[in-house]
Amino acid sequence: MITEDKTIMNEIKEFIAAKMILPNPESNLIAVLHKVQQLYGYLPKDTIDMIAIEMKIPAAHIWGVATFYHYFNLSKPGKYIISICLGTACYVKGANQSLEAIKDHLKIEVGQVTEDGVFSIQPARCVGACGQAPVLMIDEKIYGELTPDKAIEIIEKYRTAK
């Protein structure tokens, strides 16, 4: 394990220790998982195992919680996370066609990462930009009035910027 990982693991252990003083420490599991995802961008298996030991909770229970909530990433995301809004306004205006074009272009499905580790795709139910529908979000930047061609053009700008 590299030094950075040890530092992050120690930070997580300190976070858990602070939560363990409260009654029913298991009720803090989601907060701990959020902390791990904030630090790593996903929930690494070895970190889940460490949480199980530190919190005295079966790893199977932790995986059950992590897989129940769609917010948690169980695998390392790409450098750029592409979110296609599939809320009503975006869907009606063709967001699904842009999603299909992106999947075909990148040769991955929703929840997967490109072979080069640059992009991953995740759905979004609403990003709050209905007036610009359909929208695509890469990390925290929103692109509106999307078409399949425009979506590919935006993605390629990120690819050349890597």
Side-chain angles (χ1 to χ4, degrees):
M1 194 182 299
I2 59 175
T3 305
E4 181 182 345
D5 281 343
K6 286 182 182 178
T7 303
I8 292 173
M9 286 291 225
N10 286 336
E11 185 175 342
I12 294 166
K13 286 180 181 180
E14 289 173 12
F15 187 82
I16 291 169
K19 298 292 184 186
M20 294 300 281
I21 62 170
L22 301 171
N24 192 9
E26 187 175 336
S27 64
N28 296 298
L29 177 59
I30 290 178
V32 171
L33 295 177
H34 278 287
K35 182 69 171 179
V36 171
Q37 184 152 302
Q38 173 193 1
L39 294 169
Y40 283 107
Y42 72 111
L43 304 177
K45 183 189 180 316
D46 60 336
T47 307
I48 295 295
D49 294 341
M50 182 271 295
I51 293 168
I53 292 166
E54 294 291 319
M55 294 186 78
K56 298 173 181 54
I57 299 171
H61 176 73
I62 297 171
W63 282 111
V65 170
T67 57
F68 178 78
Y69 294 102
H70 294 286
Y71 173 80
F72 295 116
N73 296 318
L74 302 179
S75 59
K76 187 174 182 175
K79 178 180 177 182
Y80 300 111
I81 300 170
I82 302 168
S83 300
I84 305 291
C85 180
L86 297 175
T88 303
C90 289
Y91 191 84
V92 167
K93 290 190 171 187
N96 199 48
Q97 288 84 0
S98 293
L99 174 59
E100 290 304 316
I102 291 168
K103 289 175 10 182
D104 290 345
H105 182 72
L106 296 176
K107 297 174 179 47
I108 60 172
E109 293 295 321
V110 172
Q112 294 181 334
V113 180
T114 55
E115 282 187 27
D116 60 6
V118 176
F119 297 105
S120 56
I121 304 172
Q122 68 182 26
R125 294 294 158 226
C126 183
V127 298
C130 301
Q132 300 176 48
V135 299
L136 158 97
M137 192 164 75
I138 298 183
D139 295 333
E140 301 299 318
K141 184 158 175 54
I142 295 174
Y143 299 90
E145 300 176 4
L146 203 60
T147 65
D149 290 338
K150 186 175 177 183
I152 302 306
E153 182 180 307
I154 292 165
I155 288 168
E156 285 308 309
K157 285 181 183 174
Y158 278 83
R159 185 178 299 284
T160 57
K162 73 173 187 171

